[in-house]
Amino acid sequence: MSPPGNSKYKESGTARLLGAGTSGILELFTFHPVDTVAKRLMSNTERIHAPGQTTAQSLSKLNQVIFRDAAAKATISKYLSLFPGLGYAAGYKVAQRMYKFGGQPVARDFLEHHYGQSFTRAFGDRNGKAMLHATAGSLIGIGEVALLPLDVLKIKRQTNPEAFRGRGLVRIVCDEGMGLYRGAGWTMLRNAPGSFALFGGSAFVKEYVFGLENYNNATFVQNFFASIGGAVASLTVSAPMDVIKTRIQARSFDSPESGMTILRRMVQQEGFSSFFKGLTPKILVVGPKLVFGFTLAQWFIPTFDRMLKGNDRS
């Protein structure tokens, strides 16, 4: 998932981190509204298209779910209402980008060094390589739970801003403590298969569709399609756990609810389709989001490297 490498010239680790972080911030400002829409749809527990409702009534309900208090306001006010929790989202997005896409190659190298032959014997040469990429991604995804408090605060600001009234960040952290890790188990259950599908799906496309031996030699178009394949697979596989995780985190601090309670109520009251709420807007944004972030990362990383080294090398 890192930008293509070059055997004769390799950017510094600092430049990679700065490039990935900067592209993450710009990606955040561009796509945060869509993320807010997806989170609000996932945390909504009522049917938008109830039996007997007219199309106008359903659209009115959808408008209320998405824009909350700004539902009756002007278009610009509606748009601005989709930016709650931007500060927390920035912290989470930058840290998550650096950890996930910088950490997966490290985990992959470790597995390849210590268990590469085992993967080859178990799955074959080509399958083993793709499985190794997927497994490294899964391990990194599980460890991503360390960033959960930032994700929790971001989601609560997007879906339940009342929980913040009269309390600043320091007060919330002191009051809630380990409560900010509520839903950690469900997060790991979402991240493990989700990251496995993300990195594995991307590796599968590069290996079997494009026949690449060195994945870093992929062209822009090949990276585009490989990333889309991996991301769509990841979002679809992790959707049920993501809905449960979002609802756990969207609850008020003073009225937490267990994942099993939420799961049972979803099945009883909303049906199994509720496990895939918010999936469509997330999938629709995957393509441009990945192209946007990946293109900027490729440009920012060498640019920062030249700035840090004071070298005009092109």
Side-chain angles (χ1 to χ4, degrees):
M1 295 299 297
S2 59
N6 188 311
S7 59
K8 295 182 179 179
Y9 173 62
K10 183 178 180 181
E11 297 89 353
S12 68
T14 301
R16 288 179 181 274
L17 291 177
L18 287 173
T22 303
S23 65
I25 290 173
L26 293 177
E27 177 186 324
L28 171 75
F29 277 96
T30 304
F31 294 99
H32 187 70
V34 180
D35 183 56
T36 297
V37 171
K39 291 294 188 295
R40 289 179 176 178
L41 287 172
M42 286 191 287
S43 63
N44 172 52
T45 60
E46 300 178 5
R47 290 182 181 271
I48 293 176
H49 306 289
Q53 276 189 343
T54 64
T55 300
Q57 289 173 323
S58 296
L59 290 175
S60 176
K61 177 65 176 178
L62 181 64
N63 180 61
Q64 188 67 44
V65 169
I66 293 176
F67 297 109
R68 304 286 178 85
D69 294 338
K73 296 182 179 179
T75 301
I76 186 64
S77 297
K78 287 184 176 181
Y79 177 72
L80 293 176
S81 73
L82 298 178
F83 282 92
L86 189 59
Y88 303 115
Y92 175 72
K93 174 60 70 176
V94 174
Q96 190 260 0
R97 278 291 190 210
M98 291 180 174
Y99 167 78
K100 189 165 190 173
F101 298 122
Q104 190 268 352
V106 176
R108 183 197 64 216
D109 290 343
F110 175 84
L111 291 175
E112 188 171 17
H113 179 72
H114 293 280
Y115 305 104
Q117 292 300 319
S118 298
F119 274 88
T120 300
R121 285 194 299 268
F123 303 104
D125 187 32
R126 299 180 72 185
N127 286 339
K129 186 163 60 171
M131 286 295 294
L132 192 144
H133 276 255
T135 303
S138 184
L139 293 174
I140 288 297
I142 292 172
E144 199 176 335
V145 72
L147 303 175
L148 190 61
L150 286 173
D151 192 27
V152 169
L153 293 172
K154 174 182 77 77
I155 291 176
K156 285 189 186 297
R157 284 290 296 169
Q158 289 174 308
T159 63
N160 188 18
E162 292 78 13
F164 287 78
R165 296 188 188 270
R167 294 200 295 176
L169 174 61
V170 175
R171 178 63 182 275
I172 290 174
V173 172
C174 292
D175 289 348
E176 303 304 323
M178 293 303 294
L180 292 174
Y181 280 94
R182 190 174 295 120
W186 293 97
T187 299
M188 288 189 284
L189 287 174
R190 178 202 68 167
N191 286 358
S195 293
F196 184 95
L198 174 65
F199 290 100
S202 176
F204 182 89
V205 172
K206 290 178 180 179
E207 183 73 35
Y208 289 98
V209 177
F210 299 120
L212 295 171
E213 290 188 12
N214 184 348
Y215 297 163
N216 283 336
N217 289 335
T219 65
F220 177 84
V221 173
Q222 289 171 333
N223 272 311
F224 172 82
F225 284 107
S227 297
I228 295 301
V232 172
S234 174
L235 288 172
T236 304
V237 167
S238 62
M241 296 299 177
D242 198 29
V243 173
I244 295 173
K245 164 189 164 291
T246 297
R247 293 193 180 190
I248 291 173
Q249 296 172 339
R251 298 281 300 181
S252 296
F253 288 112
D254 56 358
S255 60
E257 211 169 25
S258 73
M260 288 305 300
T261 300
I262 291 174
L263 188 152
R264 284 194 297 267
R265 187 168 61 247
M266 287 173 64
V267 173
Q268 294 170 355
Q269 298 181 7
E270 303 173 62
F272 286 99
S273 63
S274 64
F275 290 103
F276 294 92
K277 281 187 173 181
L279 180 60
T280 298
K282 292 185 74 173
I283 288 180
L284 290 176
V285 80
V286 163
K289 185 175 183 179
L290 286 177
V291 171
F292 183 87
F294 188 71
T295 302
L296 287 182
Q298 290 184 98
W299 186 83
F300 275 125
I301 289 173
T303 299
F304 275 116
D305 194 64
R306 289 193 295 270
M307 291 171 59
L308 291 170
K309 294 179 179 178
N311 194 328
D312 291 330
R313 175 176 58 248
S314 58

